[in-house]
Amino acid sequence: IGGVDNEQKKEDIAVKSMISCGAHQVRTYTFRSPVELDKLLVDEGSELRNFITIANPLSKDYSIMRTEMIGSLLDTVRFNLNRQNKDFQLFEVGKIFINARTENKLFVEKNILSYVTTQKVDFFDVKSIVEIVANNLGISLNYEAINLPFMHPNMTASIKWANKTIGFVGKVHPQVLKNFEISTECFYFEIDLSALPIKKSKKIKPVIKHPASMRDLAVLVNENVPVGELISVISRAGGENLEDVELFDVYSGVEIENGKKNVAFKLVFRKRDSTMTQNEVNAIFDQIVMQLTSKFDAKLRG
């Protein structure tokens, strides 16, 4: 009786990931106004206009169930900026509702992780947060350029998992910011948690008495290389004596050449039957670096 279901587990992982990145969680109403879709420049024929109308709304501002999350967060951004709160990161895990308009289904409900920041960042800074969430959920993502009416046409990408679009990331369209009376640039992403699998729990293993050896690994790779793929290669190359791989930094900017990003991991090595020698650790570490270099043209950083 009771317990936590898979959707709650995914939400918990997402929330903890966002808090670890310094974002503040907010809660907003699922009741919205259809005028919001005009402010977001949503086309008349868009699925986002397949909203559910509330029979007895509190007011016209709360007359429909929301079909998108970005309007809620942009309203929250304006609220904070008007009170002189600046340079912040906000996120919400909340529901959207699409009117299915079919005989056997009244509506489609999705659980969405959404994020917005007013900080001085770029596309790849925000994309790195997406990668951290994906890594903690145990999935690997890909990205493709996409056009959305409320996002910047040249700075937005779809987020794809298993050849399926599960979200998007990029810069909010300047006209949309103006419509919401926001005077600063904003970057935004959202991920449909409902579309993702739950990360499999690790099997409980007996406690190993022998000490672990830890190494930091920092590599320079092309900015479009998914962190999840790097972790997969590291895990395979490390073999059974690589106990854990932990991502702790993704950085692109000052001192990093254009088109590149620095990705840093903490590696934990341990043998079950004896203490590992430094030569054994070095051999595995070198094998990991060789595989990363071969597959991603990675450059080891000191």
Side-chain angles (χ1 to χ4, degrees), residues 205-228:
K205 299 178 181 178
V207 175
I208 301 175
K209 298 179 181 179
H210 304 287
S213 295
M214 284 170 280
R215 292 281 186 87
D216 288 345
L217 169 66
V219 291
L220 191 69
V221 296
N222 289 335
E223 61 192 7
N224 61 351
V225 174
V227 172

Side-chain angles (χ1 to χ4, degrees), residues 61-274:
D61 292 332
Y62 302 100
S63 60
I64 66 170
M65 302 296 289
R66 68 183 174 196
T67 58
E68 39 70 28
M69 295 288 290
I70 184 171
S72 300
L73 282 190
L74 290 180
D75 271 347
T76 308
V77 167
R78 182 183 66 247
F79 179 89
N80 279 274
L81 290 175
N82 287 345
R83 285 154 182 79
Q84 306 306 311
N85 296 322
K86 300 178 181 180
D87 299 327
F88 50 80
Q89 304 177 77
L90 304 176
F91 78 95
E92 179 176 12
V93 179
K95 305 288 188 182
I96 63 169
F97 305 86
I98 306 294
N99 192 339
R101 298 180 180 176
T102 63
E103 293 182 1
N104 59 353
K105 209 169 193 179
L106 294 176
F107 60 88
V108 176
E109 177 182 325
K110 297 180 181 179
N111 199 30
I112 305 294
L113 166 64
S114 56
Y115 165 92
V116 68
T117 182
T118 62
Q119 294 179 341
K120 301 299 181 184
V121 296
D122 61 24
F123 175 88
F124 298 104
D125 293 324
V126 179
K127 180 170 170 280
S128 70
I129 297 176
V130 176
E131 287 289 337
I132 289 172
V133 175
N135 178 58
N136 290 338
L137 287 168
I139 60 173
S140 179
L141 301 176
N142 292 300
Y143 303 85
E144 291 182 2
I146 190 174
N147 286 320
L148 295 170
F150 39 82
M151 301 297 289
H152 195 292
N154 299 317
M155 298 186 67
T156 304
S158 63
I159 302 171
K160 303 179 77 71
W161 168 78
N163 296 319
K164 178 168 60 175
T165 299
I166 60 165
F168 59 91
V169 55
K171 190 175 183 179
V172 181
H173 197 293
Q175 183 59 52
V176 170
L177 294 175
K178 185 177 180 180
N179 293 346
F180 278 83
E181 301 176 8
I182 295 172
S183 58
T184 187
E185 293 182 346
C186 294
F187 280 83
Y188 177 87
F189 76 74
E190 67 178 50
I191 299 172
D192 180 4
L193 297 177
S194 309
L196 300 177
I198 183 63
K199 185 176 182 179
K200 293 181 179 180
S201 300
K202 293 183 179 179
K203 294 181 179 180
I204 297 175
K205 299 178 181 178
V207 175
I208 301 175
K209 298 179 181 179
H210 304 287
S213 295
M214 284 170 280
R215 292 281 186 87
D216 288 345
L217 169 66
V219 291
L220 191 69
V221 296
N222 289 335
E223 61 192 7
N224 61 351
V225 174
V227 172
E229 291 185 15
L230 294 173
I231 291 174
S232 296
V233 170
I234 292 170
S235 298
R236 288 196 298 270
E240 62 180 10
N241 292 329
L242 178 61
E243 185 177 89
D244 193 28
V245 182
E246 178 185 342
L247 173 72
F248 69 84
D249 186 49
V250 180
Y251 175 73
S252 59
V254 179
E255 298 183 358
I256 301 295
E257 61 183 280
N258 289 337
K260 299 287 186 179
K261 63 182 175 183
N262 181 73
V263 189
F265 304 93
K266 185 177 293 295
L267 310 182
V268 181
F269 301 92
R270 195 193 314 253
K271 289 175 71 173
R272 300 187 62 81
D273 54 359
S274 63

